[in-house]
Amino acid sequence: MYKSIETLLVEIPTIRPHKMAVATMQTQTLVLIKIVTEDGFTGWGEATTIGGLGYGDESPESVKTNIETYFAPLLKSLSGLNFAQTIQSIKRNINGNRFAKCAIQTALLDIQAQRLNLPLSEILGGRLRDSVPVLWVLASGNTEKDIAEAKKMIELKRHNVFKLKIGSRPVEEDVAHVLAIKQALGADISIRVDVNRAWSELEAVKGIQALQDGGVDLIEQPCAIENLDAMQRLTRRFDIAIMADESLNGPHSAYQIARNNGASVFAVKVAQSGGLIEGCEVGKIAKLAGIDLYGGTMLEGPVGTIASAHVFSTFDHLAYGTELFGPLLLTEEILKTPLQYQNYELVLPTVSGLGIELDLNKIDNLRRQ
Ligand code: MUC
Ligand code: MG
């Protein structure tokens, strides 16, 4: 049933350095999975991460090795099973590897939706919106450059909500940087910050108080991944929204965080969740627990970005919008028709499957040989 399962590492420079507490990105390595079936369907998935092993516990190289060594032979042996049984069997036979699992699942869902002649979102429960709001992340590392970049985005009507990457400088310096941007852009522009787990709990108390007083709207992952107790105390202590990102790695952790009041918002990432279905499950847990939702990214290219958009389109309330801007941070286009960003939103395709067509010549030129 499966003719080939291929993993491609595609290197694309970013439009400017993207500085985060965990890594500075100048190039993104897209990890693309292509599955071709004997009866002529092609499905695509993506397992892109940030900064090699700087962000998560899978690297582009580990995903490629593990798919070629373990996932591909397993998948080829499962040809008699339906989609749900295939996913169940992968979970039973392979531990961890959430990014690789997400990419394989995305490609299989792309194929399944094409077989049924439906957009992918329709087999995830059905879309409730045809586009999702998209913010922009300011991460040049320079206050004046960030202000100029934000003003340009507002002028172009491309983004009117901004997330700032902080955590690599002393707390006071980061706070001054954020509040200078907040002041320059004015009260109507929503500013959020992502600390990428850089603060101790005491630093977080100091930083969050100042940012809350300065009119910032949300604090993302202030403390360490494992420090759920600190996340809980900060969520209870402050009025400002506290969002779990790296701490949230699938439905089970969503349940644990929800039980412990460990966040007021979830950043749902399909790869961190281990798949599109699991991303939907995280959304359901948040809904049941009264936790607000935000659509996160691993700075994927267009494949992972549109797969995530299909998932987020099924959420009935997306209080904090999404950050599905990954393709806009890249200098090269790998789709025949680029994703459609308009009026501050990313538009979902209406054709079957993921609804995108890859430019294979372009990918061939950019892929790591
Ligand atoms: C993260 O931690 O949120 C998402 C947007 C961005 O700029 O970095 C990523 C990772
Ligand atoms: Mg984050």
Side-chain angles (χ1 to χ4, degrees), residues 104-355:
I104 295 281
Q105 191 193 99
T106 304
L108 295 178
L109 279 168
D110 186 17
I111 291 168
Q112 180 80 340
Q114 289 176 55
R115 276 190 203 288
L116 296 168
N117 198 22
L118 290 169
L120 204 157
S121 51
E122 295 309 299
I123 61 170
L124 292 173
R127 71 175 58 159
L128 292 166
R129 53 178 72 76
D130 294 320
S131 60
V132 290
V134 181
L135 60 62
W136 182 251
V137 172
L138 300 170
S140 75
N142 175 288
T143 311
E144 292 314 313
K145 275 191 191 160
D146 281 357
I147 291 171
E149 195 172 294
K151 285 188 170 165
K152 196 174 122 207
M153 295 299 178
I154 295 167
E155 202 181 293
L156 292 172
K157 290 194 177 348
R158 218 179 69 184
H159 307 277
N160 56 2
V161 175
F162 299 93
K163 162 167 142 175
L164 278 50
K165 301 296 270 186
I166 60 170
S168 51
R169 293 179 283 204
V171 179
E172 295 76 7
E173 273 180 43
D174 269 339
V175 168
H177 165 75
V178 176
L179 297 186
I181 294 175
K182 173 73 192 158
Q183 221 158 26
L185 300 182
D188 293 345
I189 299 296
S190 174
I191 297 291
R192 297 101 183 257
V193 301
D194 188 355
V195 190
N196 279 123
R197 58 191 126 128
W199 287 344
S200 69
E201 188 171 351
L202 278 177
E203 287 172 323
V205 168
K206 201 157 77 170
I208 295 172
Q209 187 67 60
L211 294 170
Q212 179 175 285
D213 293 345
V216 169
D217 289 326
L218 175 142
I219 313 285
E220 178 172 342
Q221 195 68 43
C223 296
I225 295 177
E226 307 76 21
N227 200 349
L228 299 183
D229 291 347
M231 291 287 282
Q232 179 203 58
R233 287 188 286 268
L234 296 169
T235 302
R236 289 184 177 169
R237 178 174 180 141
F238 291 102
D239 296 333
I240 190 171
I242 306 285
M243 183 158 81
D245 180 10
E246 290 96 314
S247 294
L248 181 61
N249 45 49
H252 189 71
S253 82
Y255 172 65
Q256 294 297 343
I257 296 170
R259 267 183 77 212
N260 293 311
N261 283 137
S264 39
V265 186
F266 280 174
V268 184
K269 291 183 174 172
V270 295
Q272 290 264 63
S273 301
L276 308 192
I277 289 169
E278 290 73 8
C280 290
E281 287 172 356
V282 171
K284 285 281 182 314
I285 292 165
K287 182 180 169 182
L288 295 174
I291 290 170
D292 280 332
L293 285 171
Y294 174 70
T297 180
M298 285 303 294
L299 299 176
E300 291 108 333
V303 176
T305 297
I306 208 65
S308 303
H310 280 284
V311 169
F312 304 153
S313 76
T314 69
F315 292 169
D316 68 0
H317 193 48
L318 197 50
Y320 286 86
T322 81
E323 57 182 15
L324 291 179
F325 69 97
L328 301 172
L329 192 64
L330 304 176
T331 52
E332 299 284 346
E333 178 58 62
I334 59 160
L335 296 185
K336 285 198 173 156
T337 308
L339 298 185
Q340 206 186 332
Y341 288 92
Q342 64 183 40
N343 298 325
Y344 313 105
E345 306 224 337
L346 167 61
V347 179
L348 277 116
T350 50
V351 295
S352 70
L354 284 169

Side-chain angles (χ1 to χ4, degrees), residues 54-107:
Y55 192 98
D57 46 20
E58 286 165 78
S59 69
E61 296 76 15
S62 80
V63 170
K64 186 169 163 60
T65 299
N66 288 342
I67 286 185
E68 287 170 0
T69 315
Y70 299 99
F71 285 84
L74 175 65
L75 208 51
K76 285 190 171 163
S77 75
L78 301 177
S79 50
L81 304 185
N82 72 14
F83 168 78
Q85 292 163 335
T86 304
I87 296 300
Q88 185 187 48
S89 183
I90 292 173
K91 280 189 183 165
R92 283 188 178 151
N93 286 284
I94 297 179
N95 289 306
N97 289 277
R98 284 168 289 132
F99 286 58
K101 280 178 180 162
C102 177
I104 295 281
Q105 191 193 99
T106 304

